[in-house]
Amino acid sequence: MKDTPGWASPGSAPSDGQEPGASDPADRPSGSQPADQPGARPQSPGTKWSDEQPPPAPWSAPAGPQNPAQPPPPPPPGPGWGTPPPPAGPGGYDHPGGHRGPGGYGAPGWGSGWGGPPPAVKPGVIPLRPLGVGEMLDGAVSTMRTYWRTVLGISLAIAIVFETAVVLLQGLVLDDTLDTAALSDPSAGLDEQTQAMGDVMRSSGLLLLITMLGILTGTALLAAVTSRAVLGKPVTLKEIWRDARPQLPRLLGLIALLLLITGGVAAVCLLPGILVTASGGGEGGAALISLGSLGAFALVVWLVVRFSLAAPALMLEKQGVKKALTRSAKLVRGSWWRMFGIQFLALVIANIISTIIVLPFALLGAAVSDEGIGGLVDAGSEYGWTYLIVSGVGSVVGSMITLPIAAGVTVLLYIDQRIRREALDLDLARAAGVQGYGSPVPGTRPGS
C-alpha cells in the first residue's frame, strides 16, 4: 500500500467467496440428496421438485441386548464441540492475509478454543497483537524503566524548555493581566464575573496549549525509543539524536501547523461573541463568548485526537507534515472515541502523579513567599517569582516522570492501530528476529 511506507505492508484482503464450482446446500430443496450420492433419485433435466415433500424417514440405532459390563455410551456433544476454529493470527485474531503465527487458533495442541487464545510473541515491552489499555500503560512504564537513562534524559530536556516558558509567561504576562478577584466577591456583577472567568479560561488555555506542545514534542522524540523497546533492542541518546535530527524541521512545521489550525478554529468560534460585545451587546455578547468557548473547546479536542498520531507517523515513517496529518486521520478514523478514552485516561494518571510530585514544591514556594500558604485558597492572591521558580522546579521533576507515560501511550496507540489495520506485527516480528512468525498455515490458501 502506498500510504504505509517505512514499517509495514498490509496483507491481502480475506476472500469472502466460495470455491469455484462449489454448490451451496441452501440452493437444494429440503430433504434432497445430491445426485452423486448412493440412493439418490435420478432426475431428468426437466424434472421439478414439488412444493410439498414427504418427511424424511425416521432412523434409530439397532436395538439389541445390552451388556451390563459395558458402560453406557457418552452423551452427544453439545453445540460447537468438535468444530475446528477458523484459522487465526497470533494471539487469536485474523490477519488480512489469512496468516497466523505460533500460538494462534488452530495451532497443534490447541483444542476447541477453551480458555482463550494463548499468549502472543513478546520480544519487547508489548505482545505482538492488538493491545488492551492495561498493556499500553504497562508498555509505556516498562519502556521508561528499561531505558530510563535515555527516556529521562529526553524528558528532562523537554520539561526544562517548556516549564521555563510557563514560568516566564506567568511571571511576565499573566500575573499583570489576570484579575480573578471578582470570582470570590459575592457582590460582583455578572459582567465582572464573566470577564474574570474569561481571563481564567484564556490563561488556562495558554498553559494547557504549552503543555500539549510539550507532550507532542516528547511523543515525537520518544517515538524512536518506544519503537526499539517494542523490538527489545537497545538504544542510546546518540542513536535517538541521529534518527530524529533530520525530522526536526518537519516537527517544527507540524507544531506550527497544528497551532495555526487550532488557533483558527478557536478564533472562528469566538468571533461572533467578540463582535456582539464590541457593538454593545452586553449580556448577549458574554453569552455568545461563553457558547463559543465551549464550541471551540470541543472542536479543538476533536482535532487534537484526530491528529494525535501525526508525530509518531512523522518520526517513524519519515513522513512530511501534510502526509503525517493524513496518516493520523486515516488511523484514527472509526476509532476516535477509543483514542480519546485511552489518551484521556493516560493524561489523568499522569496528572495525578504530577500533582503528587508538584504539591510539596508548591507548598514550599507558598511558604517562602509574601502571601504565605493561606494564599493558595485565595483567588485574588498573586505570588512573586520565588513561588513561580520553586513550583516550576517541581513541575520539571513531575513532567520528567509523567511525560514518558503520556508519550509512550500515544506511540503504542499508533503501533496498535497499525497492527489492527495493516498487520504491522508481522514486520515487527521479522525485525525482532522471531522465526516462523506469520507464516501461512499448511494446507490453506492465502486469503482464505
Side-chain angles (χ1 to χ4, degrees):
M1 184 176 292
K2 293 182 180 180
D3 63 343
T4 58
W7 264 23
S9 58
S12 58
S15 173
D16 56 355
Q18 293 181 334
E19 291 289 336
S23 60
D24 190 352
D27 296 334
R28 296 194 301 268
S30 173
S32 65
Q33 296 179 349
D36 56 351
Q37 291 186 1
R41 179 184 303 172
Q43 300 181 30
S44 61
T47 303
K48 295 184 179 180
W49 287 88
S50 172
D51 295 334
E52 297 180 1
Q53 294 295 323
W59 184 91
S60 60
Q66 182 71 23
N67 186 0
Q70 183 178 2
W81 282 66
T83 302
Y93 67 99
D94 291 316
H95 281 307
H99 301 287
R100 66 178 178 181
Y105 284 112
W110 185 250
S112 57
W114 283 73
V121 177
K122 187 178 180 181
V125 295
I126 60 169
L128 299 184
R129 56 168 171 75
L131 303 175
V133 179
E135 291 171 326
M136 294 183 193
L137 294 171
D138 180 71
V141 175
S142 299
T143 301
M144 181 174 61
R145 185 175 63 248
T146 305
Y147 304 90
W148 63 272
R149 289 186 178 89
T150 304
V151 170
L152 294 183
I154 297 174
S155 301
L156 178 61
I158 297 174
I160 290 176
V161 172
F162 284 92
E163 292 300 333
T164 301
V166 169
V167 170
L168 293 177
L169 181 64
Q170 286 181 317
L172 298 177
V173 179
L174 297 182
D175 283 350
D176 296 333
T177 60
L178 183 62
D179 185 10
T180 59
L183 296 178
S184 58
D185 186 5
S187 62
L190 179 61
D191 293 341
E192 295 177 347
Q193 292 184 352
T194 302
Q195 183 178 359
M197 183 63 67
D199 292 341
V200 171
M201 293 181 64
R202 282 192 296 270
S203 62
S204 301
L206 288 174
L207 297 179
L208 180 61
L209 180 62
I210 295 177
T211 302
M212 296 304 297
L213 292 179
I215 294 176
L216 176 63
T217 306
T219 302
L221 297 181
L222 292 173
V225 182
T226 306
S227 64
R228 302 290 182 87
V230 169
L231 301 178
K233 295 185 177 181
V235 65
T236 61
L237 276 173
K238 184 178 180 181
E239 294 174 343
I240 296 301
W241 175 249
R242 185 180 65 244
D243 292 343
R245 184 173 56 185
Q247 292 295 103
L248 289 182
R250 294 179 177 177
L251 177 61
L252 295 177
L254 176 65
I255 293 175
L257 183 58
L258 289 177
L259 284 176
L260 183 61
I261 293 174
T262 54
V265 168
V268 169
C269 293
L270 295 175
L271 185 59
I274 295 175
L275 293 177
V276 172
T277 303
S279 61
E283 296 182 359
L288 281 178
I289 290 178
S290 301
L291 185 61
S293 300
L294 293 177
F297 177 77
L299 287 176
V300 168
V301 169
W302 181 78
L303 289 172
V304 167
V305 175
R306 180 178 176 84
F307 297 134
S308 60
L309 305 184
L314 182 83
M315 304 302 291
L316 295 179
E317 299 181 15
K318 309 302 180 184
Q319 298 277 16
V321 175
K322 183 178 178 181
K323 189 65 175 179
L325 293 175
T326 304
R327 285 285 290 147
S328 177
K330 287 183 179 180
L331 292 174
V332 174
R333 185 179 303 156
S335 304
W336 190 94
W337 284 107
R338 179 174 177 268
M339 296 287 168
F340 170 77
I342 294 176
Q343 294 186 72
F344 180 76
L345 177 62
L347 286 177
V348 169
I349 294 175
N351 285 331
I352 292 175
I353 298 174
S354 179
T355 302
I356 295 174
I357 297 174
V358 172
L359 185 59
F361 289 89
L363 294 176
L364 178 61
V368 299
S369 64
D370 296 335
E371 296 288 340
I373 296 180
L376 289 175
V377 297
D378 187 3
S381 298
E382 294 182 3
Y383 289 105
W385 286 100
T386 302
Y387 171 78
L388 293 177
I389 293 174
V390 174
S391 61
V393 172
S395 298
V396 168
V397 177
S399 298
M400 181 181 64
I401 297 176
T402 58
L403 180 60
I405 298 177
V409 168
T410 301
V411 178
L412 292 178
L413 265 174
Y414 162 82
I415 295 175
D416 172 72
Q417 285 298 102
R418 293 200 61 184
I419 287 177
R420 293 173 182 269
R421 300 189 178 187
E422 301 171 0
L424 179 64
D425 55 323
L426 301 180
D427 287 271
L428 293 178
R430 285 192 287 268
V434 179
Q435 300 295 329
Y437 188 92
S439 58
V441 183
T444 62
R445 297 178 296 103
S448 61

